[in-house]
Structure formats: C-alpha cells, structure tokens
C-alpha cells in the first residue's frame, strides 16, 4: 500500500527531530540525502523543509563572523600553550584560513602575532650541499640523489631559489658538470659521433655506452630524448629493433629489392618478427601504418557489401543472364562479373544453392552436404545471427 503525502512528510520531520535531539543542532543537507529528496519534492528547498519542521536553518556566516571565530580559537590556543600554533594543529580550519587570509602566516600576522620564520635553507646552504656531494662522490648529483641521507634538499628548493626550471641549470648555477646537456657539440655532430662510437665498439646497451664514451659525449638521457637509443643502434647496425623507423626502412628496402609491393608475410620473414609485434609497436594496423608513409599495401580487406539481400540476388541473376548463364554463373566468375566474392554470397544465402533457390535457378547436385529445397527455405528464413548447423 502506497504511503500518503502526509505520512511521508511526518516521517521526514520525525527523523529531523531525532537528529536534533541526538546532536543538538540542525542537520546539514549532505548528512540526510534520503530526506533531501523528499524535502525538495514537497517544499522546494532544504531550508524551507527545515523551517516547516520548526527549526532554524543553517545560514552561511559572514566574513567578519568567520574571522572573529578564527581569531578567538588562536588566542585560546596561545593562552593555553604560550606559543603560536603550527599550521598542522589548525588543519580542520585550513580551508577557511586560506580562503579569508590567503596563507597561514598572513592569518597569524592579522591576529596580531609575529609569524614563525620559514624553515627553508638559504642559497648558500643549497650551493654547499651540491658541492659537498660532488667532493664526496666524485660526480655531480642527480635528481634521484636529492634525499636527506645524501645531505641534499628537495629539488623544488633548488629550482625556487636558483630561479631555474631544470636540473641541468641547477648544476651549472653552482659550476658543476652536467650530464644532461651537450656543451661542446651541435646536435648533428653529436648524432654522427655517437653512431660512429656505437658502430666501432658494437654497443647495444646503455651501460656499455656510459662506460666507453669520452667525457664530452652526450648522456644516454640526451640521446633518448633527441634521437631514440634504438634508432641510433639501428643506424649503427648493432640492433634491429621493432620501431616505426625500422619497419618503414625494411619495408622500403624490401620493395626496392623485389621491384613490387611486398606482402606482410615477406616483411615478417625479412624482419624476423610477426605482424602482431609490428602492430603492437606502432599502435596502429599495419596497412594503416604503410599508408601513413605514402605506400599502398599488397592486400587490403575487401570492401563491405552495402547491397541488401534482394539487391544482391538481383545483381547475380541479371549478370548471369547478361553473360550467357541462364541457370546461374559458376562460382569462379562471381567476383569478376559481379564485383563480390563467393564468401559474401554464402554469408547472405548460406550456400550457393541458397542463392540459386532465391533467384529461381536449378539447384546444384554436387557438394559434400546437400540440402533439399524445404531445408534451404527454412534456413533462409532464419536471421543472420541464428546458429546454423
């Protein structure tokens, strides 16, 4: 039995009264979402519902009232503890303090107290920490070395105080060598010399390059960002990585060697990887990738037949009669005369006999599994998604 409107409202009022007697205050809307739906339906707003229940709704306080409450809390804390509170001790009011004062220290100053000094290192301490690390370790620190056990500070402290945007600038600011930048070579010279070095020592991995490279050569980080490590190894002849660069290069060289468009199988044999690996590395279908650099693939997926079942049968019937096949053209002529393969016809009509029956031609008696006319008619009546034996 459905409840009447009066019963629903009375039940909602009783729940509000129960909340007030338990907590000593009027509930906030988010605390009673199930009642909020009833309140909006019958009273328009939550505050109208609270007024109808005989309570005073919660009203947003003014800026002056909020500031006065915050100042009172701060003074109470100071009188009890004899010190200014830390920000984490007022975490419950942090959003209000940020909203009305902008920051914690501005709030402390506005209350008439002197703010605590910010616990941040000086520029001199920041520079000394980097130099001490260099003397002790014999190398410039990385960002990953910025931990307390190494005597270093947070990387953001260096960026903020040195007014720079990257770690290489931090090291150069204190005149330490940077691993992340080329200072003696142009980009073209770096690429040429690195390829020669990789080719000379048959380098394949980062660690071997770091061990064998001269002092003024670029870092692995720089090479990966600028050129790609696998691409450099491929140009030097030490690796055959499956990348967009190598797939394109192999495809074009194979096409030039064969004098025609290579097939997917030929490309797989040349590279020694499957087409699935190429798709995974390039992130797109192999034919789409081949078309992206101006080549046409050897084989394409057949175009989808947009004709209806009746139109396809009429096309088959008309082309058969036109080309001298009064009882239907043979299977070998389907694609040449109609433009559609045997697979398309058999998908629509189950078999070639199904197509011939639909067009009114005689059924073929050859085949591994024969069906009578009645069986074929029953099959053709079923929808495409029905299971066929």
């Amino acid at each position: 039995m459905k409840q009447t409107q009066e019963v629903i409202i009375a039940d909602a009022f009783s729940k509000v009264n129960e909340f007030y007697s338990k907590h000593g205050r009027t509930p906030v809307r988010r605390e009673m979402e199930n009642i909020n739906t009833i309140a909006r339906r019958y009273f328009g707003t939550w505050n109208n519902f609270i007024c109808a229940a005989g309570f005073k709704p919660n009203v947003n306080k003014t800026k002056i009232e909020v500031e006065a409450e915050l100042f009172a809390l701060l003074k109470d804390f100071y009188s009890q503890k004899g010190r200014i509170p830390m920000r984490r001790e007022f975490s419950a009011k942090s959003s209000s303090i940020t909203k009305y004062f902008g920051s914690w220290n501005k709030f402390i100053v506005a209350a008439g107290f002197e703010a605590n000094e910010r616990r941040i290192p000086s520029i001199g301490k920041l520079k000394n920490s980097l130099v001490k690390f260099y003397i002790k370790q014999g190398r410039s620190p990385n960002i990953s070395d910025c931990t307390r056990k190494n005597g270093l500070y947070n990387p953001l402290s260096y960026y903020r105080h040195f007014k720079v945007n990257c770690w290489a600038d931090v090291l150069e600011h204190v005149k330490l060598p940077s691993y992340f930048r080329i200072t003696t070579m142009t980009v073209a010279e770096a690429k040429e010399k690195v390829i020669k070095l990789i080719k000379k020592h048959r380098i394949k991995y980062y660690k071997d390059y770091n061990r064998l490279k001269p002092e003024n050569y670029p870092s692995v980080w720089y090479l990966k960002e600028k050129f790609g490590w696998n691409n450099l190894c491929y140009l030097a002849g030490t690796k055959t990585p499956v990348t967009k660069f190598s797939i394109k290069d192999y495809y074009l060289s194979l096409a030039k060697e064969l004098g025609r468009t290579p097939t997917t199988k030929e490309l797989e044999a040349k590279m020694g990887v499957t087409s699935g690996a190429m798709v995974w590395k390039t992130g797109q279908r192999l034919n789409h990738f081949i078309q992206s650099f101006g080549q046409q693939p050897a084989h394409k997926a057949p175009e989808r037949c947009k004709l209806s079942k009746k139109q396809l049968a009429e096309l088959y019937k008309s082309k058969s009669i036109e080309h001298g096949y009064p009882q239907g053209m043979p299977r070998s002529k389907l694609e040449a005369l109609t433009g559609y393969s045997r697979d398309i016809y058999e998908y629509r009509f189950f078999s070639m006999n199904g197509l011939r029956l639909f067009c009114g031609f005689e059924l073929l008696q050859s085949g591994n599994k024969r069906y009578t006319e009645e069986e074929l008619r029953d099959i053709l009546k079923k929808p495409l998604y029905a299971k066929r034996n």
Side-chain angles (χ1 to χ4, degrees), residues 242-244 247 273-286 289:
V242 184
T243 62
K244 290 184 177 182
I247 294 171
V273 294
T274 63
S275 58
M278 300 180 200
V279 171
W280 183 71
K281 288 290 185 179
T282 57
Q284 58 186 132
R285 293 180 181 176
L286 191 56
F289 175 68

Side-chain angles (χ1 to χ4, degrees), residues 23-76:
H23 299 280
R25 62 177 177 84
T26 307
V28 184
R29 182 177 57 186
R30 65 175 177 270
E31 295 174 320
M32 304 186 76
E33 287 293 344
N34 55 336
I35 304 299
N36 179 38
T37 305
I38 298 171
R40 293 180 62 188
R41 180 184 302 166
Y42 296 113
F43 296 93
T45 64
W46 175 259
N47 283 346
N48 291 342
F49 166 71
I50 294 297
C51 290
F55 297 101
K56 183 180 179 181
N58 294 311
V59 181
N60 291 332
K61 298 177 182 178
T62 62
K63 181 181 178 182
I64 298 173
E65 291 175 339
V66 174
E67 289 179 353
E69 288 184 4
L70 292 174
F71 289 152
L73 289 173
L74 180 59
K75 289 176 181 177
D76 290 343

Side-chain angles (χ1 to χ4, degrees), residues 240-375:
T240 309
V242 184
T243 62
K244 290 184 177 182
F245 179 83
S246 63
I247 294 171
K248 177 182 176 181
D249 196 13
Y250 267 103
Y251 185 88
L252 295 175
S253 64
L254 189 59
K256 187 176 181 180
E257 179 184 335
L258 297 175
R260 58 175 174 81
T261 304
T263 63
T264 303
K265 294 294 183 183
E266 291 169 335
L267 183 61
E268 288 177 347
K270 180 77 173 177
M271 293 195 67
V273 294
T274 63
S275 58
M278 300 180 200
V279 171
W280 183 71
K281 288 290 185 179
T282 57
Q284 58 186 132
R285 293 180 181 176
L286 191 56
N287 278 358
H288 292 176
F289 175 68
I290 292 171
Q291 290 171 345
S292 68
F293 53 87
Q295 301 294 317
Q296 291 299 323
H299 302 293
K300 293 183 180 179
E303 293 185 5
R304 183 179 177 184
C305 178
K306 297 182 180 180
L307 300 179
S308 65
K309 196 172 184 179
K310 186 177 180 181
Q311 290 172 334
L312 194 61
E314 289 177 354
L315 175 66
Y316 171 78
K317 186 176 182 179
S318 61
K319 291 293 182 180
S320 297
I321 295 171
E322 180 183 341
H323 289 87
Y325 299 100
Q327 292 301 322
M329 68 180 73
R331 300 168 184 171
S332 58
K333 301 288 185 179
L334 284 174
E335 193 163 3
L337 299 182
T338 66
Y340 296 105
S341 64
R342 174 185 171 181
D343 294 337
I344 293 175
Y345 285 101
E346 290 188 345
Y347 177 74
R348 294 287 186 92
F349 301 97
F350 180 67
S351 66
M352 290 306 299
N353 270 346
L355 173 62
R356 300 175 73 84
L357 178 64
F358 196 91
C359 296
F361 295 148
E362 292 182 3
L363 301 184
L364 298 173
Q365 298 304 317
S366 60
N368 295 331
K369 191 173 183 180
R370 299 177 186 175
Y371 293 88
T372 63
E373 286 191 20
E374 292 74 15
E375 290 174 334

Side-chain angles (χ1 to χ4, degrees), residues 125-351:
K125 287 184 178 180
L126 291 170
K127 289 183 178 179
N128 290 337
S129 65
L130 296 171
V131 174
K132 286 179 181 178
F133 183 93
Y134 181 78
I135 294 172
K136 184 177 180 180
Q137 303 291 339
R139 63 177 178 85
S140 298
N142 298 324
I143 294 180
S144 59
D145 295 321
C146 292
T147 56
R148 185 174 294 179
K149 68 177 183 179
N150 291 327
L152 300 176
Y153 300 93
N154 189 298
L156 296 178
S157 299
Y158 296 101
Y159 295 155
R160 187 182 301 113
H161 290 284
F162 295 166
K163 297 179 180 179
V164 296
N165 297 318
C166 68
W167 189 250
D169 290 333
V170 170
L171 296 179
E172 289 187 0
H173 187 82
V174 293
K175 298 181 180 179
L176 292 178
S178 169
Y179 300 116
F180 314 106
R181 181 174 293 150
I182 291 180
T183 56
T184 60
M185 300 182 192
T186 64
V187 175
E189 289 174 345
K191 184 176 182 181
E192 182 182 356
K193 290 187 176 182
V194 167
I195 290 175
K196 287 182 179 178
L197 182 69
I198 294 173
K199 190 173 184 179
K200 178 181 178 181
H201 297 285
R202 305 298 298 171
I203 298 173
K204 292 184 179 181
Y205 306 106
Y206 304 147
K207 60 180 181 181
D208 296 328
Y209 173 77
N210 285 327
R211 180 171 52 84
L212 297 170
K213 77 180 183 70
E215 185 178 354
N216 64 330
Y217 271 55
S219 67
V220 172
W221 175 86
Y222 182 91
L223 298 178
K224 287 169 66 177
E225 290 292 320
K226 286 288 184 181
F227 316 110
W229 174 255
N230 283 341
N231 288 342
L232 291 174
C233 290
Y234 176 67
L235 291 172
T238 59
K239 269 188 179 182
T240 309
V242 184
T243 62
K244 290 184 177 182
F245 179 83
S246 63
I247 294 171
K248 177 182 176 181
D249 196 13
Y250 267 103
Y251 185 88
L252 295 175
S253 64
L254 189 59
K256 187 176 181 180
E257 179 184 335
L258 297 175
R260 58 175 174 81
T261 304
T263 63
T264 303
K265 294 294 183 183
E266 291 169 335
L267 183 61
E268 288 177 347
K270 180 77 173 177
M271 293 195 67
V273 294
T274 63
S275 58
M278 300 180 200
V279 171
W280 183 71
K281 288 290 185 179
T282 57
Q284 58 186 132
R285 293 180 181 176
L286 191 56
N287 278 358
H288 292 176
F289 175 68
I290 292 171
Q291 290 171 345
S292 68
F293 53 87
Q295 301 294 317
Q296 291 299 323
H299 302 293
K300 293 183 180 179
E303 293 185 5
R304 183 179 177 184
C305 178
K306 297 182 180 180
L307 300 179
S308 65
K309 196 172 184 179
K310 186 177 180 181
Q311 290 172 334
L312 194 61
E314 289 177 354
L315 175 66
Y316 171 78
K317 186 176 182 179
S318 61
K319 291 293 182 180
S320 297
I321 295 171
E322 180 183 341
H323 289 87
Y325 299 100
Q327 292 301 322
M329 68 180 73
R331 300 168 184 171
S332 58
K333 301 288 185 179
L334 284 174
E335 193 163 3
L337 299 182
T338 66
Y340 296 105
S341 64
R342 174 185 171 181
D343 294 337
I344 293 175
Y345 285 101
E346 290 188 345
Y347 177 74
R348 294 287 186 92
F349 301 97
F350 180 67
S351 66

Side-chain angles (χ1 to χ4, degrees), residues 55-125:
F55 297 101
K56 183 180 179 181
N58 294 311
V59 181
N60 291 332
K61 298 177 182 178
T62 62
K63 181 181 178 182
I64 298 173
E65 291 175 339
V66 174
E67 289 179 353
E69 288 184 4
L70 292 174
F71 289 152
L73 289 173
L74 180 59
K75 289 176 181 177
D76 290 343
F77 186 94
Y78 187 81
S79 63
Q80 293 175 10
K81 305 286 187 179
R83 64 175 176 84
I84 299 170
M86 289 182 284
R87 183 172 55 184
R88 64 175 177 268
E89 294 173 315
F90 269 51
S91 58
K93 302 292 182 181
S94 59
S95 58
S96 299
I97 291 170
T98 304
K99 178 180 178 181
Y100 292 105
F101 297 96
S103 68
W104 173 257
N105 281 345
K106 289 179 181 178
F107 163 62
I108 297 297
V109 172
F113 297 97
E114 185 177 351
N116 293 321
E117 292 184 2
R118 298 180 66 190
R119 298 181 179 180
I120 56 173
S122 63
I123 294 179
K125 287 184 178 180

